[in-house]
């Protein structure tokens, strides 16, 4: 039977490719303040960007929630979270790359796409922390395991080197970038020591390398267990905008057309 849905909507060209809803900010009688994760982080990011005069409400895209009937178009009732929607409904998408730079191993999407050769997974994470899912690691095509307290220089070199190799091995139609901020120094759950400037540079590096190959990129902001991560995410978005890497009509940017190289070429 023909399925009708309200899930899709026309997005005017005046709107930015930033998807946000106030419903993303979770509250429960104040108990959310006791959790290490800042459940209002995304609202803070948007407010910072408004204060900087970069955005207004009319420029944002608010996603519509999929109904159960929508999900059953592509999923069985038994296993709704086995996500294959991207390839079946988006024209021109046959190969995807996940660049997961959250401090934790991304075992969820790794298990989901375990035997799907259309999806190339690169995962950079602290080898000593949760989840340590050995089975899920079999799905990782480019695995970078980090030690406790890894700092900016080592981290950025490894990220750049491995993204370059990943894109050479599997040039995708789209990149999904998990831009976790739990790599920030002082994050007790992430266990790494990346500075705020290092996070901003990391995001810039990823966007330059992907956009330089004319590949669309979707960035999601995930882990980050300190209150200051919202400001860092906002600063990163402002930096990407200032460099012309994001925006309503931002062109594809050459990975090498910056005034300065991504990283010093002499770094081994």
């Amino acid at each position: 039977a023909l399925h009708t849905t309200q899930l899709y909507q026309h997005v005017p060209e005046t709107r930015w490719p930033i998807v946000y809803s106030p419903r993303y900010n979770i509250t429960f009688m104040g108990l959310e303040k006791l959790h290490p994760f800042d459940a209002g982080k995304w609202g803070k990011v948007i407010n910072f960007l408004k204060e900087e005069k970069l955005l207004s409400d009319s420029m944002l895209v608010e996603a519509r929630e999929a109904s159960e009937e929508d999900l059953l178009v592509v999923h069985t009732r038994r296993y709704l979270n086995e996500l294959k929607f991207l390839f079946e409904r988006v024209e021109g998408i046959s190969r995807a790359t996940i660049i997961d730079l959250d401090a934790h191993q991304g075992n969820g999407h790794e298990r989901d796409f375990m035997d799907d050769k259309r999806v190339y997974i690169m995962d950079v994470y602290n080898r000593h922390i949760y989840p340590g899912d050995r089975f899920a690691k079999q799905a990782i095509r480019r695995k970078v395991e980090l030690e406790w307290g890894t700092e900016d220089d080592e981290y950025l070199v490894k990220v750049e080197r491995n993204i370059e190799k990943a894109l050479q091995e599997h040039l995708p139609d789209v990149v999904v970038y998990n831009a976790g901020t739990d790599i920030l120094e002082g994050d007790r759950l992430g266990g790494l020591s990346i500075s705020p400037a290092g996070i901003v540079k990391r995001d810039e590096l990823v966007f330059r390398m992907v956009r330089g190959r004319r590949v669309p990129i979707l960035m999601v902001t995930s882990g980050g267990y300190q209150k200051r991560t919202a400001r860092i995410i906002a600063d990163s978005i402002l930096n990407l905008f200032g460099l012309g890497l994001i925006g309503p009509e931002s062109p594809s940017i050459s990975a090498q057309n910056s005034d300065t190289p991504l990283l010093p070429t002499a770094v081994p």
Side-chain angles (χ1 to χ4, degrees):
L2 182 65
H3 174 69
T4 58
T5 179
Q6 301 298 316
L7 190 58
Y8 298 100
Q9 57 182 307
H10 172 71
V11 178
E13 294 183 359
T14 55
R15 294 182 182 263
W16 276 50
I18 295 180
V19 179
Y20 170 74
S21 169
R23 290 179 294 174
Y24 296 168
N25 304 302
I26 302 170
T27 59
F28 185 70
M29 297 184 293
L31 293 177
E32 71 279 358
K33 297 177 182 178
L34 302 177
H35 195 278
F37 189 84
D38 185 359
K41 176 169 66 175
W42 295 281
K44 294 174 183 175
V45 172
I46 295 300
N47 288 335
F48 284 136
L49 295 176
K50 288 179 179 178
E51 290 173 4
E52 297 288 344
K53 310 300 182 183
L54 183 70
L55 293 177
S56 65
D57 288 333
S58 63
M59 298 166 65
L60 297 170
V61 177
E62 183 168 352
R64 298 178 180 178
E65 183 176 357
S67 66
E68 181 177 355
E69 290 73 23
D70 290 325
L71 293 174
L72 286 172
V73 172
V74 290
H75 304 309
T76 64
R77 290 187 180 275
R78 180 182 178 185
Y79 199 49
L80 275 177
N81 66 338
E82 188 172 352
L83 186 60
K84 307 298 181 186
F85 189 78
L86 179 67
F87 300 108
E88 297 175 5
R89 293 297 298 271
V90 181
E91 184 178 355
I93 301 295
S94 61
R95 293 156 60 90
T97 290
I98 297 173
I99 298 176
D100 189 344
L101 302 187
D102 187 273
H104 299 81
Q105 177 198 352
N107 61 325
H109 58 74
E110 288 159 10
R111 284 176 173 262
D112 284 344
F113 296 110
M114 177 64 69
D115 298 313
D116 195 330
K117 300 303 180 184
R118 298 171 297 181
V119 180
Y120 182 108
I121 297 174
M122 170 180 158
D123 200 349
V124 182
Y125 56 89
N126 184 338
R127 67 188 303 169
H128 301 291
I129 62 175
Y130 177 87
D133 189 334
R134 293 184 179 181
F135 176 75
K137 289 180 182 181
Q138 298 175 61
I140 304 174
R141 302 273 285 277
R142 182 154 291 277
K143 177 174 60 177
V144 183
E145 296 187 320
L146 303 173
E147 298 295 333
W148 290 109
T150 298
E151 298 181 350
D152 289 17
D153 290 346
E154 177 186 353
Y155 178 78
L156 292 171
V157 167
K158 288 183 175 180
V159 167
E160 182 180 29
R161 179 187 302 147
N162 284 280
I163 291 178
E164 180 69 31
K165 292 179 179 179
L167 294 174
Q168 289 174 354
E169 293 171 1
H170 180 97
L171 186 63
D173 299 312
V174 65
V175 166
V176 178
Y177 169 38
N178 184 9
T181 50
D182 51 359
I183 64 171
L184 179 64
E185 57 193 5
D187 193 308
R188 292 179 294 175
L189 298 182
L192 302 176
S193 296
I194 310 304
S195 70
I199 292 176
V200 172
K201 175 56 88 173
R202 176 201 66 176
D203 294 347
E204 176 187 333
L205 186 155
V206 174
F207 269 76
R208 281 197 183 280
M209 299 185 77
V210 174
R211 296 295 307 279
R213 289 166 174 79
R214 300 183 180 277
V215 175
I217 179 171
L218 168 65
M219 180 173 81
V220 294
T221 57
S222 56
Y225 302 93
Q226 299 182 74
K227 299 298 183 183
R228 57 184 178 142
T229 59
R231 178 72 254 184
I232 295 169
I233 293 169
D235 288 342
S236 181
I237 293 172
L238 289 166
N239 181 60
L240 293 172
F241 171 73
L243 294 169
L245 290 165
I246 62 170
E249 298 179 357
S250 58
S252 294
I253 306 296
S254 168
Q256 299 300 326
N257 75 350
S258 174
D259 292 337
T260 57
L262 295 177
L263 294 171
T265 56
V267 176

